[in-house]
Amino acid sequence: MQVIRKKAWALPDSTATDETIYRSRRTLLKGLGAGTMLLAGSALPARAASDPTADLYPVQRNLRYRLDRPITDEKHATTYNNFFEFGSHKGIAKEAQALKLRPWEVRIDGMVEKEMTVGFDDLIRRMPLEERVYRHRCVEAWSMAVPWSGFALKALVDFAKPLGSAKYLRMETQADPDTMPGLIQTWYPWPYTEGLTLAEATNELAFIATGLYGKPIPKQSGAPLRLAVPWKYGFKSLKSIVRFHFTDERPVSFWETLIGKEYGFWANVNPKVDHPRWSQATERVLGTNERVPTLLFNGYGEFVADLYKDMKGERLYM
Ligand code: MTE
């Protein structure tokens, strides 16, 4: 979708996306059998036609979450990716098509009433689906704004029934050496893992994305389910999740294991706390390449600032 703008990031959110145009485009694509079409501007096959969850989309947008900038063009958000399991560069979208999506089982274990393994297709149909437009700020200082579909992570936490003693949620990505060539790089601490406190995981913003741009989420973006925690740097939002582990120990993530001095547990966005090797004051907007100021908590302070108000000694912003 092409959004015409003058000063892109400063536009009011009402101009960010024309809902009517967006919806009618979705309907049109559905009517045309979008699954057999090619994604605009790329040579990647859309996977909607063969996806057993395709009938669930599009879902109703939750208007509580608003943007201060236009939605990023789909072709940019789905062809400029970080997914190290498929390579250490941005152009992994083609390689990621090797990701095997079915069967896809999700393990819920650790400090829960009853450990379980649930098929993704069962899980998603138990969850309250909605669409949310969120900003995404990568620690590398680029950003995008996209319409995720999915469900609040809190719904999954409630479904998992953690014990009162559980304090953290550790999540793990699929790690399949047969389809993920990046796993050959054995110096990386696979599988890709990330963690949140339970207070963060049950914050209303924490979201599990199963769809993007009104369709099942593409493989390169983290199919069939990924995290979206928009007040944190993008590396926290792990892709292609296979495990939710409830624990009382603070998880040490993939990046923290690798370079703990640069990538910590909290990783909340803050323009005033530079990465040791570059400034975090501004960000490059994907698609337009404009440079715009970065906002504290990526602009989501009203939802999350309270989570951190009594944590003076913590490295909250890296
Ligand atoms: N999840 C996995 N499994 N592997 C990764 O390499 N990269 C992270 C995050 N999730 C990554 C991941 C980083 S650094 C970013 S910025 C976002 O995914 C990028 O998401 P996108 O490709 O949809 O923009």
Side-chain angles (χ1 to χ4, degrees), residues 204-247:
E204 66 166 274
L205 277 187
F207 197 64
I208 293 291
T210 60
L212 188 58
Y213 296 95
K215 296 170 288 198
I217 191 168
K219 294 180 176 184
Q220 64 273 25
S221 304
L225 72 165
R226 71 169 285 168
L227 185 66
V229 280
W231 72 99
K232 292 181 177 285
Y233 289 116
F235 68 87
K236 296 288 295 183
S237 292
L238 82 168
K239 298 178 170 183
S240 305
I241 303 172
V242 290
R243 186 176 178 201
F244 293 87
H245 178 78
F246 292 83
T247 170

Side-chain angles (χ1 to χ4, degrees), residues 81-85 136 138 142 144 173 192 226 234-235 237-239:
N81 301 101
N82 276 333
F83 203 161
F84 279 69
E85 288 85 337
H136 172 98
C138 179
W142 56 266
M144 61 180 185
T173 291
Y192 195 104
R226 71 169 285 168
F235 68 87
S237 292
L238 82 168
K239 298 178 170 183

Side-chain angles (χ1 to χ4, degrees), residues 62 64-65 130 132 134 151-154 199-207 228 230-231 302-304 307:
N62 185 339
R64 180 165 161 76
Y65 309 102
E130 60 183 79
R132 297 186 183 186
Y134 273 176
F151 51 88
L153 177 56
K154 183 177 186 307
E200 291 176 324
T202 53
N203 179 275
E204 66 166 274
L205 277 187
F207 197 64
W231 72 99
E302 64 177 299
F303 299 102
V304 297
L307 288 170

Side-chain angles (χ1 to χ4, degrees), residues 119-149:
F120 173 72
D121 298 320
D122 285 349
L123 179 70
I124 191 174
R125 285 174 198 279
R126 290 164 189 251
M127 294 292 131
L129 297 182
E130 60 183 79
E131 183 181 70
R132 297 186 183 186
V133 286
Y134 273 176
R135 292 184 292 275
H136 172 98
R137 169 58 158 85
C138 179
V139 74
E140 298 162 344
W142 56 266
S143 67
M144 61 180 185
V146 295
W148 302 115
S149 311

Side-chain angles (χ1 to χ4, degrees), residues 8-258:
W9 82 278
L11 281 176
D13 76 273
S14 55
T15 56
T17 317
D18 185 321
E19 182 90 2
T20 325
I21 293 170
Y22 179 77
R23 292 281 159 215
S24 55
R25 178 169 174 266
R26 290 273 69 83
T27 312
L28 180 68
L29 286 177
K30 263 190 145 183
L32 289 171
T36 57
M37 296 172 73
L38 294 182
L39 289 179
S42 85
L44 298 167
R47 64 178 191 83
S50 58
D51 191 297
T53 62
D55 62 297
L56 296 172
Y57 304 93
V59 293
Q60 183 82 37
R61 180 172 297 177
N62 185 339
L63 297 175
R64 180 165 161 76
Y65 309 102
R66 299 183 171 269
L67 292 176
D68 61 350
R69 60 196 69 180
I71 284 186
T72 304
D73 228 41
E74 181 175 352
K75 74 168 188 283
H76 294 300
T78 58
T79 57
Y80 185 91
N81 301 101
N82 276 333
F83 203 161
F84 279 69
E85 288 85 337
F86 292 100
S88 314
H89 56 94
K90 301 289 183 277
I92 51 75
K94 273 191 188 141
E95 285 80 353
Q97 302 317 303
L99 182 65
K100 192 168 169 275
L101 292 183
R102 296 294 185 286
W104 193 279
E105 294 193 324
V106 176
R107 180 77 183 147
I108 296 176
D109 63 7
M111 295 177 152
V112 290
E113 276 183 22
K114 193 166 182 280
E115 297 189 325
M116 64 178 124
T117 301
V118 53
F120 173 72
D121 298 320
D122 285 349
L123 179 70
I124 191 174
R125 285 174 198 279
R126 290 164 189 251
M127 294 292 131
L129 297 182
E130 60 183 79
E131 183 181 70
R132 297 186 183 186
V133 286
Y134 273 176
R135 292 184 292 275
H136 172 98
R137 169 58 158 85
C138 179
V139 74
E140 298 162 344
W142 56 266
S143 67
M144 61 180 185
V146 295
W148 302 115
S149 311
F151 51 88
L153 177 56
K154 183 177 186 307
L156 185 136
V157 172
D158 291 345
F159 174 71
K161 298 196 175 68
L163 302 179
S165 45
K167 292 190 172 54
Y168 299 95
L169 174 58
R170 179 161 62 77
M171 291 153 279
E172 275 179 31
T173 291
Q174 174 73 294
D176 175 12
D178 292 339
T179 52
M180 297 174 147
L183 268 57
I184 284 173
Q185 302 169 97
T186 49
W187 56 93
Y188 284 125
W190 311 111
Y192 195 104
T193 54
E194 261 306 337
L196 297 171
T197 63
L198 273 199
E200 291 176 324
T202 53
N203 179 275
E204 66 166 274
L205 277 187
F207 197 64
I208 293 291
T210 60
L212 188 58
Y213 296 95
K215 296 170 288 198
I217 191 168
K219 294 180 176 184
Q220 64 273 25
S221 304
L225 72 165
R226 71 169 285 168
L227 185 66
V229 280
W231 72 99
K232 292 181 177 285
Y233 289 116
F235 68 87
K236 296 288 295 183
S237 292
L238 82 168
K239 298 178 170 183
S240 305
I241 303 172
V242 290
R243 186 176 178 201
F244 293 87
H245 178 78
F246 292 83
T247 170
D248 57 1
E249 280 177 31
R250 186 194 283 192
V252 182
S253 73
F254 178 87
W255 288 111
E256 196 179 359
T257 306
L258 209 57

